[in-house]
Amino acid sequence: MTETTTVRSAPPAPRATAVLDDAHTGDIRGALGTIRHDDTAPRRGLSAKLKTLLAIVGPGLIVMVGDNDAGAFATYGQAGQNYGTHLLWTLLLLVPVLYVNQEMVLRLGAVTGVGHARLILERFGKFWGAFSVIDLFLLNALTLVTEFIGVTLAAGYLGLPRVGAVLLAAAVIIASAFTGSFRRFERIAIGLCAASLLLVPLYFLVHPRTGQMAHDFLVPQLPTGPGGLSAAMLLIIGIVGTTVAPWQLFFQQSYVIDKRITPRFLSYEKADLWLGIAVVVVGAAALMGCTAAAFAGTSGAGAFTDTAGIAHGLAAHAGKLAGVLFAIALLDASIIGAFAVSLSTAYAIGDVFGIRHSLHRGVGRAKGFYAVYAGLVAAAAAIVLIPGSPLGLLTEGVQTLAGVLLPSASVFLLLLCNDRAVLGPWVNGRAMNAFTSCVVAVLVTLSVILTAAVLFPDLGPGTILTIMACCGAAGVALLGYAELRRRRKGWTPGARPMDHTSRADRANWRMPPLDILPAPVLSTAHKAGLAALRTYLLVAMVLVLVKLAEVWVGQ
């Protein structure tokens, strides 16, 4: 543990903020260091900056590594086994998407002190607030089941009893959060993040072709393989869905708040985020490359089954140690994924229903928060242990629903980051808005394709390209309408408001209490867009659930 030792200066005069829980204010007590609440002096010198960074590290690293969970292992492994390293380029394209989405939520958390679900409820009404919590709860519950599926597959390969492994994993996940100490939980989580680097020695054991990987990382291509172009497109959508998941937005914002990070430390938190992105991309690339090398030229190429099959393939190619390292990494990924997914749900429910929700509080002082967390973990573990549970169907349902729901999360994230009452001098600039709008458009297109593919399994490449063209045309038409309306109204693109604010004042600016904020003003176009989004989400979710139910009954 390190502790910053910079000289403290008098803190600025206190002002009313929207922070809902007194546990969310005070000293930052991270896994690797402490920053005292009254330590407001500037960080000068490499040593002081490094100590501050170590104290801040955690939220970005955990949310990113938690995203390389059991579902990600299966998706990246399938990409490597079925298509070699030809889809590595998707990871490079996802880097700016990951950063932009997570930078916006960490900024919202540090500036507002209020969780993502609570902001949606207060700024967009009860429907969207309830929708955000309900869909997050259902999706996270299903995602937790996939994490325990990963535990069973890893345990089976290692020769461990299935029931014992699931119960022990559930006990570790619950006990780690029930310590009543934020620092202890974060130390456990960061330890699991470090264990994810087992994929690096696995890479050197398997030794995939580095030159080929570098080429495929930089040169996009759509490979041919089992199922043709449509199967490759759906797998690309799966990679996007497993890498940019809705729960990440809720987790990162609430965890930043629970760690007591304020706008003064945003630059350090962004460095933490970049660290997490680097770890997740390196891990994903190593996994895809190892799987590609292990199955190249074998009967297993193009015949992905599950992650246990990958472990056996790696052992056959590079020896027993390679299979063991993969299984341990899968077990580690499943546990840290379960940590993050359970916490994101408990935080969101606590935010919306006014339940005390903080890892700084013991069980006795936050019973509802810990009950939600433990209940989700226990329910997911129980489902996996029920004989005959449709585990494969649940995994498919998670990927599909995540793809359907992600655009709505991104839309509200963009709207909140342009709400001047919420972020004041921290609202998005023009470049950020332009890029994020393009990201939302792409996510909506992928969501439509994924929904269509679930409803119509024989969807061909021509239909997929038609959907992409229609969505692109609709996007261009909307941009044209917005520009035309801007010109008619005589609006001029403005710079970020309050740019004249000094750096010190900006660092201390926090959102005022929610009940005194002016109501958001939505244009007719925004209202129409939200109504269309609501209709699409409801129809798509119902159709997808009906289709999954039909498949279950058919099985």
Side-chain angles (χ1 to χ4, degrees), residues 121-505:
L121 173 69
E122 295 290 344
R123 304 305 285 169
F124 301 104
K126 293 181 179 178
F127 173 86
W128 286 115
F131 184 88
S132 67
V133 171
I134 292 171
D135 72 45
L136 182 73
F137 183 87
L138 294 176
L139 183 58
N140 283 3
L142 292 174
T143 303
L144 271 174
V145 174
T146 67
E147 308 299 359
F148 282 104
I149 293 173
V151 171
T152 63
L153 293 173
Y157 180 83
L158 295 171
L160 303 174
R162 177 171 176 267
V163 175
V166 170
L167 294 179
L168 180 60
V172 168
I173 293 165
I174 293 172
S176 298
F178 274 53
T179 64
S181 167
F182 184 95
R183 169 171 284 168
R184 279 195 290 269
F185 172 84
E186 187 166 83
R187 284 177 174 169
I188 295 170
I190 289 182
L192 290 170
C193 290
S196 71
L197 296 175
L198 284 173
L199 290 173
V200 175
L202 176 65
Y203 176 89
F204 288 105
L205 275 176
V206 178
H207 198 61
R209 295 169 56 192
T210 304
Q212 183 66 43
M213 286 189 64
H215 174 272
D216 292 343
F217 197 74
L218 298 173
V219 180
Q221 54 188 310
L222 287 175
T224 56
L229 177 62
S230 57
M233 281 294 300
L234 292 178
L235 184 55
I236 290 172
I237 295 172
I239 292 173
V240 174
T242 197
T243 309
V244 188
W247 66 262
Q248 291 176 294
L249 307 181
F250 293 84
F251 174 86
Q252 169 91 326
Q253 187 164 333
S254 291
Y255 196 83
V256 163
I257 295 166
D258 206 8
K259 190 161 183 177
R260 302 165 174 171
I261 294 174
T262 64
R264 291 193 302 116
F265 301 108
L266 271 176
S267 60
Y268 295 95
E269 182 49 39
K270 290 177 183 178
D272 171 43
L273 177 58
W274 276 118
L275 174 63
I277 291 174
V279 172
V280 79
V281 171
V282 168
L287 182 55
M288 204 179 291
C290 289
T291 310
F295 288 93
T298 70
S299 59
F304 172 80
T305 53
D306 55 31
T307 47
I310 292 176
H312 287 290
L314 289 168
H317 176 78
K320 185 178 180 180
L321 179 59
V324 170
L325 284 177
F326 176 84
I328 295 174
L330 172 60
L331 184 61
D332 173 79
S334 301
I335 292 175
I336 192 170
F339 271 151
V341 171
S342 303
L343 264 183
S344 71
T345 312
Y347 278 139
I349 290 177
D351 245 329
V352 170
F353 292 101
I355 301 171
R356 288 182 174 179
H357 53 288
S358 173
L359 291 170
H360 290 285
R361 296 184 183 276
V363 178
R365 295 191 297 155
K367 295 183 180 69
F369 170 71
Y370 288 103
V372 171
Y373 179 90
L376 273 173
V377 174
I383 290 172
V384 170
L385 294 177
I386 296 174
S389 296
L391 301 182
L393 187 62
L394 288 173
T395 302
E396 179 184 348
V398 167
Q399 293 177 334
T400 304
L401 288 175
V404 169
L405 296 173
L406 183 58
S408 67
S410 298
V411 166
F412 285 113
L413 178 58
L414 181 60
L415 291 174
L416 286 171
C417 285
N418 281 280
D419 190 334
R420 300 188 182 192
V422 169
L423 280 184
W426 294 98
V427 293
N428 282 357
R430 291 195 300 271
M432 177 73 80
N433 281 333
F435 180 80
T436 309
S437 297
C438 292
V439 169
V440 171
V442 171
L443 293 177
V444 169
T445 302
L446 295 180
S447 175
V448 172
I449 293 173
L450 184 58
T451 304
V454 171
L455 300 177
F456 308 102
D458 297 327
L459 196 68
T463 306
I464 291 177
L465 293 175
T466 300
I467 293 174
M468 294 174 67
C470 291
C471 290
V476 171
L478 287 173
L479 287 175
Y481 169 76
E483 178 63 17
L484 180 62
R485 191 164 180 268
R486 183 185 70 79
R487 291 177 181 272
R488 284 181 175 176
K489 295 285 187 179
W491 296 337
T492 56
R496 177 178 294 182
M498 299 171 66
D499 271 348
H500 59 278
T501 306
S502 70
R503 177 173 296 185
D505 289 341

Side-chain angles (χ1 to χ4, degrees), residues 69-132:
D69 59 357
F73 267 56
T75 303
Y76 299 140
Q78 181 180 0
Q81 185 172 344
N82 288 0
Y83 299 104
T85 57
H86 295 311
L87 293 179
L88 271 174
W89 57 272
T90 57
L91 300 177
L92 182 62
L93 290 183
L94 285 173
V95 168
V97 178
L98 284 170
Y99 177 76
V100 166
N101 273 354
Q102 294 304 314
E103 188 278 335
M104 285 194 290
V105 289
L106 72 86
R107 185 161 22 108
L108 277 171
V111 174
T112 68
V114 176
H116 202 62
R118 179 80 181 188
L119 282 179
I120 293 175
L121 173 69
E122 295 290 344
R123 304 305 285 169
F124 301 104
K126 293 181 179 178
F127 173 86
W128 286 115
F131 184 88
S132 67

